[in-house]
Amino acid sequence: MSALDEVGEAQREVGKALDRARAGDDRELAAKVRELGEQFVRMLTGAMRMTRFHDTRNMAFEAPLRDLERSLAALRDLLGMVQVIMVEDQVYVNDQRLRLDERVDPGDNFSALWLRHEVGGLNLHATLTMDQWRKIVVGAMADPVGAQPRAALQAAFEAAGLSALELLPVFRFRMKDERRRIDQNVGAVMHRAAGVVDGLWEGLASGRAANPLPVRKMINELVDLPAQSEEEGIARARFDRSTHALSRHSSQVAMLSVLIGRELGLPDTTLADLGVTACYHDLGYATDEDGYPPPFSRHGSAAVRSLLAQRGFHEARIHRMLACLEHHRPFNAPGGASLFARIIHIADDFETLTRYRSGGAIMSPPTAIARMYAARGTEYDPELLQLFVNRVGRYPPGSVLELDDGRWVLVLSGVRAPELFDQPFTEVVRLADGTEPLFPAQVDLADEGTVRRVVE
């Protein structure tokens, strides 16, 4: 074998090893990453806490800083770039969940120390020296600065020569220079979303603790979709019969909830919290009561029991428990319901009424909107429902309309401008002679066509 062949073979072997690692097949590597990651996070947390009692120039800091230097070097030998992500009360190193001591004061753990600066993760692009780690622990334990503390801390680190450390926003998983993936196929996003929710339900049904990281990544993809793609996803998912019913329902309710939350003006981080909470709203049905899922009347309390049984604590869990208990509570009920529960109530009922079944949907989207609108102020929060109606329009995404020329069209867009409230963008699904079109054809009702009727 020539030297060139040997290089090629070596490259192929490296590629295979990376593929195994990415797929999670290399259990030995995953275990090693977890072990080293736990050591690294414990060391960094300990060094940060020590600054409260010792000056960093004190000899007591020598050993911890030296251990940090070695620990990161070992991780970089395995992984290259090291990424530490904090999700609620959990910590991950390159997607490997760490098993940390949860008996510590929740306000003094690794995540809480960084969240003071609105930092949700760290990218470590190079090995750091003891002196660099000294600057990091001092900077991280300083008081947050200004209205954008993460940006201020990043600037301070870069001014100190620490450009190899990148601070990530809370609950975002995009690299600093990565472009928003607005051109990705909406069908692929929805397919991945349903797969992630499938995994969530399977884990919960098996009694395993829920892993919020893949769910949050999936919700962030939905949050990043442009409005037209989001509405198209809602329209096409309505007719999806290949995905497990509960997974399809949960992912669709999550997308509708994010749509309402965006119309309300919630920031992206809150939209991510809302979307994950919506994914969990029917968690009770994944639990077991004498070999069967609980009935409708008890699925909320069953979900809360399941969440309380999981280890750790975070504010996001309170949102989930409230939403599980309250997402069917009428708006005018005594005590009311939380904001997330009121949003999910609208999304849940709309999806349930309009979802395609083997015998057809209970009602078309326009009919469902009319029925729900009649219950504003009693069943539904009137302001949130009005925001929803303003966004989806007279013919919400997923509606099937018959035009005056006999064609049937599927509505793909919501309201693009107030004057286009009843003139959405559509796709032809049946020709005037009753046959399916051979090629995709779009019809913008702002330019052509008049609606003869809604196809029920």
Side-chain angles (χ1 to χ4, degrees):
M1 181 182 294
S2 68
L4 187 59
D5 290 336
E6 289 179 0
V7 170
E9 182 64 24
Q11 288 175 330
R12 284 189 289 273
E13 289 301 316
V14 169
K16 291 177 184 177
L18 289 173
D19 288 341
R20 286 197 304 273
R22 291 191 188 101
D25 293 335
D26 194 336
R27 296 184 180 180
E28 183 178 351
L29 175 61
K32 190 66 175 175
V33 170
R34 186 177 294 113
E35 176 188 353
L36 290 173
E38 289 166 3
Q39 292 175 3
F40 172 74
V41 168
R42 289 193 186 102
M43 290 172 186
L44 181 51
T45 307
M48 292 169 71
R49 291 180 186 148
M50 281 181 64
T51 62
R52 296 170 177 159
F53 310 105
H54 301 285
D55 188 289
T56 54
R57 293 167 294 184
N58 191 303
M59 289 296 293
F61 264 94
E62 292 296 317
L65 295 177
R66 188 178 299 110
D67 289 341
L68 268 174
E69 183 179 3
R70 293 169 178 167
S71 180
L72 178 58
L75 277 171
R76 280 188 47 76
D77 283 345
L78 282 177
L79 302 170
M81 187 193 77
V82 176
Q83 184 178 70
V84 182
I85 293 292
M86 294 151 267
V87 181
E88 299 168 16
D89 51 2
Q90 300 179 13
V91 181
Y92 298 79
V93 168
N94 289 45
D95 284 3
Q96 292 298 320
R97 181 180 175 181
L98 307 184
R99 296 182 289 260
L100 302 172
D101 188 353
E102 295 171 336
R103 294 171 295 178
V104 71
D105 176 2
D108 198 37
N109 62 23
F110 181 78
S111 299
L113 295 175
W114 286 101
L115 285 172
R116 298 180 312 116
H117 298 278
E118 297 183 3
V119 172
L122 314 172
N123 278 347
L124 296 150
H125 297 277
T127 302
L128 300 171
T129 66
M130 289 174 56
D131 286 339
Q132 289 175 315
W133 277 119
R134 183 177 284 108
K135 295 174 183 177
I136 288 170
V137 296
V138 169
M141 293 304 289
D143 290 335
V145 176
Q148 296 181 310
R150 180 181 63 87
L153 184 59
Q154 182 76 68
F157 283 159
E158 291 180 358
L162 296 169
S163 57
L165 172 62
E166 178 187 359
L167 304 180
L168 303 179
V170 178
F171 301 139
R172 308 306 292 167
F173 304 93
R174 199 182 301 113
M175 299 294 290
K176 183 169 63 175
D177 297 321
E178 183 179 349
R179 201 168 54 85
R180 289 171 73 91
R181 293 187 294 168
I182 61 173
D183 56 345
Q184 57 185 328
N185 180 273
V186 66
V189 174
M190 295 304 296
H191 179 74
R192 285 196 298 274
V196 167
V197 178
D198 268 338
L200 173 67
W201 293 129
E202 288 173 7
L204 292 169
S206 302
R208 299 194 300 270
N211 181 349
L213 180 61
V215 180
R216 279 196 174 273
K217 286 185 174 180
M218 176 268 288
I219 291 298
N220 283 336
E221 285 196 80
L222 299 184
V223 170
D224 287 345
L225 285 174
Q228 185 173 348
S229 293
E230 182 179 55
E231 292 154 357
E232 181 183 342
I234 291 169
R236 298 193 187 283
R238 181 176 173 236
F239 299 96
D240 175 20
R241 287 183 287 173
S242 62
T243 308
H244 184 273
L246 188 55
S247 300
R248 181 181 66 232
H249 174 68
S250 297
S251 57
Q252 185 77 334
V253 170
M255 180 170 273
L256 288 164
S257 297
V258 168
L259 180 147
I260 298 170
R262 183 180 286 111
E263 197 71 8
L264 184 60
L266 299 179
D268 281 0
T269 51
T270 306
L271 287 177
D273 279 337
L274 171 61
V276 175
T277 300
C279 283
Y280 280 77
H281 80 282
D282 275 341
L283 161 63
Y285 289 127
T287 63
D288 184 276
E289 288 188 4
D290 299 323
Y292 298 94
F296 174 83
S297 60
R298 292 201 298 274
H299 78 288
S301 57
V304 171
R305 286 195 299 274
S306 177
L307 288 169
L308 287 172
Q310 296 172 15
R311 299 175 63 188
F313 177 82
H314 191 272
E315 180 184 350
R317 188 167 300 171
I318 299 298
H319 288 310
R320 290 175 199 155
M321 287 191 285
L322 287 173
C324 289
L325 281 175
E326 299 173 347
H327 68 276
H328 291 298
R329 182 176 294 178
F331 173 72
N332 62 355
S338 64
L339 174 62
F340 281 12
R342 299 199 307 275
I343 292 173
I344 293 169
H345 188 183
I346 294 170
D348 183 31
D349 282 8
F350 180 77
E351 202 284 329
T352 299
L353 291 171
T354 61
R355 183 191 325 132
Y356 187 84
R357 299 164 171 82
S358 57
I362 295 175
M363 56 186 66
S364 68
T367 304
I369 285 287
R371 172 173 168 171
M372 293 173 67
Y373 199 74
R376 67 192 186 281
T378 54
E379 186 69 22
Y380 307 106
D381 183 317
E383 294 182 2
L384 293 177
L385 184 60
Q386 188 63 60
L387 288 174
F388 182 52
V389 173
N390 291 349
R391 176 66 185 271
V392 299
R394 181 176 180 180
Y395 306 117
S399 303
V400 178
L401 311 175
E402 182 178 350
L403 303 183
D404 53 358
D405 61 6
R407 291 179 296 172
W408 287 14
V409 294
L410 172 68
V411 176
L412 297 180
S413 77
V415 177
R416 295 167 288 168
E419 63 273 17
L420 302 179
F421 183 78
D422 59 353
Q423 297 174 316
F425 185 77
T426 70
E427 179 178 274
V428 178
V429 293
R430 196 177 85 165
L431 300 175
D433 61 5
T435 61
E436 292 185 9
L438 296 177
F439 304 101
Q442 282 78 41
V443 176
D444 189 340
L445 296 186
D447 297 328
E448 61 171 304
T450 302
V451 178
R452 177 184 295 170
R453 67 182 179 99
V454 176
V455 177
E456 297 284 351

